[in-house]
Amino acid sequence: MTTPEMEPEVEPRIRAAVDALFDREVAFLSELTAHPSTRGNEQSAQDFMAREMGDRGLSVDRWQIDLDDIRDMPGFSPVIGDYEDAVNVVGTHASRRRTGRSLILNGHIDVVPEGPHDMWDSPPFSPRVDGGWMYGRGAGDMKAGLAANIFALDALREIGLAPGADVHVQSVVEEECTGNGALACLQRGYRADAVLIPEPFNETLVTAQVGVIWFQVHLKGVPAHVAYAGSGANAIEAAMPLITALHAMEERWNGAERRHGDYGHVDHPLNLNIGRIQGGDWTSSVPAWCVFDVRMGVFPGQNLAEARREIEEVLRAAAQDSDFLRNNQPEIVYHGFMAEGYALSQDRSTAARDAIGALGGAHERVTGRALDTAAITATTDARFFGLYADTPALVYGPRAEAIHGFNERVDLESLRRLTQTTALFIAEWCGLEDA
Ligand SMILES: [Zn+2]
């Protein structure tokens, strides 16, 4: 849709405005990345986002998530404890004319733990720019995307324009462990005709994402002095055959006959990760307990209840072969992601087709290349909008490296292109009106 204001000369003006503001955008990203917004510590980063949105004239909605509001909604992931430290921020541009299609620009503020600082070349929360990259935990995943969402709107305002439809800029918590932050935005009533989530997938449109299940396996038994320990009566060693059995399940789930259509070319789409293990109390005592945390992927359309049953059956069967476990059945606790897969490629709606077309056109004009697509082996918050709000959710963001790793970094020229593409996408999708 092209409104009268979307004249041919407006496009170069929008791109020039992104360029004119780009130093400020990099400074914004640097300040945002300096907030160590790991889970439970997002408040100062959210304060910053709320202030920046308010300064720009967006109406700011800042609220604490209440578990009781969302626990019965589809897509909810179980958590231990409450949410007294989980705050979402949404800034809304209310269009005066509402002639275009509305949009949610979503991003998550939480970052994964940075790990040992001596594995980084420079401190993870002291962002630095080197060779065109900004380094820092969260710079790529996904504070660059949050910056692009804000500065795409800034570029329009810089030349006296605003979206011709309502735009909600969301900064949510909990993307890296449950997605309950995005779910809480749905519960609060935020809806739009399309969603853009600039997760760092190298300026490629994500057409399918896997689901993710997190669970803990608790093993407990009677402790003994090491002198009397028979083999297999050790809670830590008992974990080993269970892990082997889970990996065998992983191979079955990746088998050709269970492959989802979007993942035909992906070598090993569903990954099982043993992410943490704890156990035992003393070097010369046979460990009485062990807990390990598992992440497992599922395909779009794969039923989560059936997946859970299969996981439990695999663990039960493996326990029958262990002297320790036969008498001490493993206990499974679901804590964190209980996320279905989502495939934008399956969305046959006009809105999906038009939104992908508008993004593809903007991408092509900015980069000179056709828009590539990919099925990814991770999850994003896109599933909430696509599965539970009937809204096409486009995941498209900058080029980044070592996300979740050491020396995480984002390509700043890629961020500039993303911001231009986002601004052109907004102009096309929402139309334009005078600011
Ligand atoms: Zn992310």
Side-chain angles (χ1 to χ4, degrees):
M1 174 159 30
T2 307
T3 66
E5 289 84 354
M6 186 65 174
E7 295 144 2
E9 72 270 23
V10 82
E11 183 177 316
R13 287 171 59 218
I14 291 172
R15 295 182 60 180
V18 170
D19 289 341
L21 296 172
F22 195 63
D23 285 349
R24 261 185 263 172
E25 183 173 354
V26 171
F28 175 101
L29 174 58
S30 180
E31 184 166 353
L32 184 56
T33 305
H35 291 275
S37 54
T38 50
R39 178 63 203 98
N41 302 302
E42 303 95 336
Q43 295 88 346
S44 72
Q46 291 293 56
D47 288 343
F48 173 78
M49 290 299 292
R51 200 166 53 240
E52 293 287 327
M53 289 177 186
D55 288 350
R56 287 163 165 81
L58 302 177
S59 64
V60 177
D61 181 13
R62 188 181 193 282
W63 78 98
Q64 191 171 307
I65 301 172
D66 185 341
L67 269 182
D68 290 336
D69 289 341
I70 58 174
R71 74 167 87 246
D72 296 324
M73 294 177 71
F76 176 73
S77 286
V79 285
I80 294 170
D82 56 30
Y83 267 152
E84 62 187 27
D85 54 5
V87 171
N88 274 344
V89 175
V90 177
T92 293
H93 156 75
S95 162
R96 277 178 286 110
R97 291 172 44 197
R98 293 211 168 107
T99 50
R101 290 162 292 197
S102 59
L103 180 64
I104 289 170
L105 297 170
N106 171 285
H108 66 84
I109 197 76
D110 56 316
V111 303
V112 296
E114 69 277 21
H117 285 214
D118 61 6
M119 300 288 285
W120 290 72
D121 292 341
S122 60
F125 296 112
S126 302
R128 70 186 162 92
V129 174
D130 186 6
W133 296 83
M134 184 181 290
Y135 289 77
R137 169 58 82 235
D141 186 12
M142 61 170 288
K143 289 173 172 174
L146 288 164
N149 288 346
I150 295 274
F151 279 80
L153 293 173
D154 282 0
L156 299 179
R157 192 176 330 97
E158 182 77 359
I159 54 174
L161 297 172
D166 290 354
V167 176
H168 305 290
V169 184
Q170 301 182 336
S171 177
V172 302
V173 294
E174 285 274 320
E175 191 275 343
E176 299 284 7
C177 49
T178 62
N180 288 341
L183 182 64
C185 290
L186 285 189
Q187 189 276 332
R188 208 157 168 92
Y190 288 103
R191 294 290 186 282
D193 295 320
V195 183
L196 179 67
I197 308 181
E199 290 271 14
F201 290 108
N202 197 18
E203 298 168 65
T204 294
L205 175 68
V206 173
T207 45
Q209 61 183 44
V210 301
V212 171
I213 299 176
W214 276 13
F215 57 97
Q216 290 181 327
V217 182
H218 290 247
L219 308 176
K220 214 163 34 182
V222 179
H225 188 278
V226 68
Y228 309 110
S231 69
N234 175 314
I236 292 175
E237 291 186 25
M240 289 150 61
L242 297 185
I243 292 169
T244 303
L246 287 169
H247 276 303
M249 179 194 79
E250 175 193 14
E251 294 319 306
R252 284 197 303 280
W253 286 17
N254 278 288
E257 69 288 354
R258 296 180 70 150
R259 240 353 131 75
H260 182 274
D262 279 304
Y263 290 89
H265 316 293
V266 183
D267 184 35
H268 192 277
L270 302 184
N271 295 308
L272 182 134
N273 184 56
I274 309 296
R276 274 201 325 183
I277 185 161
Q278 294 170 284
D281 300 298
W282 188 250
T283 310
S284 289
S285 297
V286 177
W289 65 280
C290 175
V291 179
F292 61 95
D293 288 57
V294 188
R295 176 270 192 206
M296 182 63 205
V298 297
F299 285 120
Q302 194 172 340
N303 181 285
L304 293 185
E306 279 170 26
R308 285 195 298 269
R309 264 196 302 281
E310 196 168 339
I311 290 166
E312 290 160 19
E313 188 44 48
V314 161
L315 291 171
R316 206 163 21 241
Q320 287 310 312
D321 295 336
S322 155
D323 292 339
F324 177 87
L325 294 172
R326 206 174 303 121
N327 300 312
N328 305 286
Q329 282 290 321
E331 187 198 346
I332 300 159
V333 176
Y334 297 99
H335 166 41
F337 279 122
M338 191 54 65
E340 294 185 84
Y342 164 60
L344 175 67
S345 62
Q346 316 264 297
D347 187 336
R348 305 282 175 224
S349 67
T350 311
R353 195 195 56 212
D354 289 356
I356 293 168
L359 182 70
H363 167 91
E364 207 164 325
R365 294 196 297 281
V366 170
T367 64
R369 291 179 293 115
L371 179 60
D372 279 334
T373 61
I376 61 167
T377 58
T379 185
T380 77
D381 280 340
R383 66 186 183 277
F384 294 100
F385 306 101
L387 296 178
Y388 313 124
D390 199 21
T391 308
L394 280 55
V395 175
Y396 170 91
R399 175 181 176 218
E401 292 180 352
I403 62 170
H404 294 214
F406 305 112
N407 300 320
E408 176 179 348
R409 54 199 173 271
V410 65
D411 177 343
L412 292 176
E413 280 308 308
S414 175
L415 172 59
R416 183 201 299 268
R417 289 191 297 273
L418 168 66
T419 310
Q420 291 183 342
T421 299
T422 303
L424 296 184
F425 172 68
I426 294 169
E428 173 84 11
W429 181 255
C430 303
L432 294 169
E433 61 189 30
D434 291 332

